Amino acid sequence: MKKYSAILLSVTMLFTMLLAGCGEKDASSTGDSPGKEEMTQLNFYMMNSPVNDFDRVMKKANEIIGKEMNAKLNLILVDSSTYAEKMNLMINSGDDWDLSFTANWGGINFFENAAKGAYADLTDLIPKYAPQTYSRIPVGLWDGVKVNGKIYALPNYQQWGTAKREGFKFRSDLAEETGFDWKALKGKPTIEVLEKIGPFLGDALAKHKEMIGFETSSVESLYASNPLLWNMEAVGDTSIPGWINLDNPDKVINQFETEDFAKYTEIMRDWYNKGYVRKDGATVKDTSTDRKAAKFVAERTGSWPDSIDFPGNPDASNMSMTKGADNAPAVTVSTTRTMIPAGAASTAAIAINADSKHIDKALQLVELLNTNDDLYKLITLGEEGVDYKYDENGKFTMIEGKYNFNFNEWQIGQSYSPDFNRAAYDKNKDGDIQKKTQTMVFDADKTAEISPVTGFVFDPTPIKTQVANCAAVASEMIPALSSGSIDPAKALPEFLKRLKTAGVDDIIKEKQAQYDAWKAKK
């Protein structure tokens, strides 16, 4: 009887455990098979225009992601004109998202959002969940995405490296046609360069009235978006007033009070009146259509080595977003010093939501995007033979009307890899030359001048009202001043006065104090 009771008790306990297992299934189970982890969906927000055949390519991408890490990538594309506003609203509203493209420009506010706890602290997690990503990025870049000593984003280290020079790109056929000596611009101050470019634009447009002289838009200011071009560096986010001049790096200044800015607005007004720039340059948000149609005579560029340092560089052989040198041949000239800017790391990076339920998985996804070449090329280029091909000469060619990621690969991961296997290099001599030029840039990453502001993070909290007020004034008036659509003789004094009223002097004072304190601790 005792033995029977023991057996009955064992059977009863086993049956109870089985029932409990059915009634209290682990939340991570898929329901298909016991113990199988539920597939995690990761929502990743980035800037991009609509992409043809997006669902087809993402379905194939998710086959790889599902197999490698049992997750699904929900890549959400947001138009560049509304991206910053949307992401900041989502952050402030506590909306659900996992990963996002982040930056120190365009109102995306990387440092501000990191400082207020919107982004996850990844300092200890990156070496564990993204070790190859961590090791491939130059050590100094990690300092550029730190706030209070903690890492809050993963820099998207690109095939063109980090050491940079700013400069200009010109239609080489038009330069030859008009006799424009573009080589003479090498190393010249930007104001002098613009003064020399003006007559070239006039000569070119007189013969090619269907073109646009110089690129302007409401989201990109030749001045406000490009401090290195003016021998300056932003102290904190580029969009917030308060820069330093690299020849006097200890003093924080209001960059809009400089003689260069005044002269720049005068030149742009002159170009506007002469028809060298778009009449709607203060409001147009997306100039990619003009680029793809080879409309521009000249544009700003970061291409380096330029056409003087390295003649025949395929990276600089055609105007941006055009089909190639056949329909829009180009030359480039660099005008600035070679430097790794403080904002290099935060110019393009990926952040993870501090409130995400899948921080570890999100990091694993970044690691997969950065190290699985097939996955990265699928998302950024599409399928070979369907969306792109190599012609009989080995030249990479996008197939008309098919998948096209709109040249936004820099937002979703690293195009850099030690074996140059993640980008659309031509399979010929040009591709070999391209890799050689980029090797030069990677070498320069180890030797280039380092920005004196590298490692400094501005905390806007003490003056957040002034920052918001100045940002509102700047976003309203800089596009018009930078595109020449308003007369700077009247508008510039008004702009400076409004900045004063908004509290720009408080911002400069606070930046100077924080900058001095940071330098004293170095």
Side-chain angles (χ1 to χ4, degrees):
M1 186 68 183
K2 199 174 199 180
K3 183 177 180 181
Y4 173 79
S5 298
I7 293 172
L8 180 61
L9 179 62
S10 298
V11 171
T12 302
M13 289 178 65
L14 177 60
F15 185 67
T16 301
M17 290 171 64
L18 288 172
L19 285 175
C22 293
E24 300 177 9
K25 181 178 266 188
D26 189 283
S28 66
S29 174
T30 62
D32 295 327
S33 58
K36 183 178 179 181
E37 182 185 0
E38 182 181 10
M39 181 169 284
T40 304
Q41 176 167 300
L42 298 168
N43 297 321
F44 188 152
Y45 284 79
M46 66 169 288
M47 287 189 294
N48 210 332
S49 302
V51 175
N52 291 338
D53 292 339
F54 183 70
D55 291 342
R56 165 176 59 84
V57 171
M58 287 309 302
K59 180 179 180 181
K60 290 185 174 294
N62 274 312
E63 289 174 3
I64 299 174
I65 296 169
K67 180 180 178 181
E68 293 293 329
M69 54 175 289
N70 197 37
K72 178 182 179 182
L73 168 60
N74 181 27
L75 189 59
I76 302 164
L77 310 183
V78 180
D79 187 82
S80 61
S81 64
T82 59
Y83 181 77
E85 180 181 359
K86 180 177 180 63
M87 287 311 303
N88 287 324
L89 181 61
M90 289 180 64
I91 287 170
N92 293 332
S93 302
D95 289 355
D96 185 26
W97 59 277
D98 297 296
L99 305 98
S100 72
F101 170 75
T102 188
N104 62 0
W105 50 268
I108 301 172
N109 300 334
F110 164 70
F111 289 111
E112 182 179 339
N113 285 326
K116 68 183 183 183
Y119 301 146
D121 174 5
L122 306 176
T123 312
D124 297 327
L125 299 177
I126 293 173
K128 179 178 180 180
Y129 293 105
Q132 289 191 60
T133 295
Y134 188 71
S135 64
R136 286 182 178 183
I137 295 175
V139 175
L141 286 186
W142 289 110
D143 288 336
V145 287
K146 286 182 178 179
V147 174
N148 296 325
K150 301 293 186 180
I151 297 173
Y152 286 96
L154 300 103
N156 287 341
Y157 190 44
Q158 300 301 323
Q159 63 184 32
W160 49 82
T162 299
K164 66 183 296 187
R165 295 182 199 162
E166 295 286 358
F168 296 85
K169 179 178 285 190
F170 307 102
R171 280 287 294 262
S172 58
D173 53 345
L174 303 188
E176 184 177 351
E177 181 182 23
T178 60
F180 177 51
D181 185 10
W182 58 273
K183 292 183 179 181
L185 305 179
K186 179 80 168 181
K188 301 295 185 186
T190 299
I191 288 297
E192 183 178 337
V193 170
L194 296 178
E195 290 172 341
K196 292 181 182 297
I197 288 176
F200 164 58
L201 298 180
D203 292 343
L205 292 174
K207 298 182 179 183
H208 303 274
K209 299 184 186 301
E210 77 284 0
M211 297 187 71
I212 301 169
F214 196 82
E215 182 179 29
T216 53
S217 76
S218 63
V219 295
E220 168 76 9
S221 165
L222 185 68
Y223 186 95
S225 306
N226 301 285
L228 182 57
L229 201 58
W230 304 90
N231 199 41
M232 289 193 275
E233 176 69 295
V235 181
D237 286 331
T238 304
S239 58
I240 302 174
W243 291 3
I244 59 167
N245 186 298
L246 292 171
D247 293 331
N248 185 19
D250 294 327
K251 183 179 180 181
V252 180
I253 62 172
N254 179 356
Q255 66 269 28
F256 301 115
E257 290 182 334
T258 62
E259 184 178 349
D260 271 353
F261 185 62
K263 288 183 177 179
Y264 162 69
T265 59
E266 291 171 4
I267 289 172
M268 297 311 296
R269 180 61 175 175
D270 179 56
W271 288 7
Y272 178 90
N273 288 333
K274 291 178 177 176
Y276 296 174
V277 296
R278 289 180 59 141
K279 293 300 183 184
D280 61 350
T283 57
V284 65
K285 294 180 173 66
D286 186 0
T287 58
S288 60
T289 300
D290 290 333
R291 286 190 178 202
K292 292 175 183 178
K295 287 279 189 179
F296 294 116
V297 175
E299 60 188 41
R300 183 202 68 82
T301 185
S303 292
W304 173 70
D306 63 21
S307 301
I308 296 175
D309 293 331
F310 205 108
N313 178 5
D315 280 339
S317 66
N318 57 284
M319 300 298 284
S320 300
M321 296 189 182
T322 58
K323 294 179 181 178
D326 293 337
N327 76 317
V331 287
T332 62
V333 58
S334 55
T335 59
T336 70
R337 62 180 76 200
T338 307
M339 192 177 79
I340 297 179
S346 56
T347 296
I350 296 172
I352 296 174
N353 188 354
D355 293 329
S356 170
K357 300 178 180 65
H358 314 292
I359 293 175
D360 296 354
K361 277 283 190 181
L363 262 178
Q364 291 175 45
L365 174 64
V366 176
E367 176 82 339
L368 189 65
L369 289 168
N370 286 341
T371 58
N372 187 308
D373 297 342
D374 291 337
L375 173 63
Y376 177 82
K377 288 192 287 189
L378 177 62
I379 294 176
T380 58
L381 300 175
E383 297 179 83
E384 184 172 356
V386 178
D387 304 299
Y388 68 92
K389 63 182 180 180
Y390 294 90
D391 65 18
E392 64 276 9
N393 297 315
K395 182 176 177 57
F396 174 88
T397 305
M398 299 298 298
I399 297 175
E400 195 74 31
K402 303 304 290 184
Y403 182 87
N404 187 326
F405 206 58
N406 299 318
F407 301 91
N408 281 310
E409 70 283 351
W410 49 277
Q411 293 186 44
I412 198 168
Q414 299 179 14
S415 60
Y416 167 78
S417 70
D419 55 3
F420 294 96
N421 195 37
R422 293 171 64 78
Y425 296 103
D426 293 338
K427 295 181 178 180
N428 54 27
K429 183 180 179 181
D430 282 348
D432 293 337
I433 293 173
Q434 190 177 31
K435 294 174 184 178
K436 185 175 181 181
T437 63
Q438 289 171 0
T439 298
M440 292 172 60
V441 179
F442 296 143
D443 289 342
D445 282 354
K446 304 169 186 174
T447 60
E449 179 181 351
I450 305 295
S451 165
V453 187
T454 297
F456 172 74
V457 177
F458 174 61
D459 177 10
T461 305
I463 48 167
K464 59 183 179 182
T465 300
Q466 294 93 321
V467 167
N469 292 341
C470 285
V473 174
S475 64
E476 177 187 341
M477 296 197 68
I478 285 177
L481 285 165
S482 294
S483 63
S485 60
I486 53 177
D487 184 358
K490 297 179 180 179
L492 181 55
E494 178 191 349
F495 174 52
L496 296 177
K497 182 179 179 180
R498 289 182 62 185
L499 284 179
K500 291 282 187 184
T501 303
V504 69
D505 291 339
D506 293 338
I507 295 176
I508 301 302
K509 183 179 179 181
E510 182 64 26
K511 281 193 173 185
Q512 186 71 65
Q514 292 186 28
Y515 186 45
D516 289 343
W518 171 75
K519 287 190 298 178
K521 294 178 181 179
K522 288 181 69 177

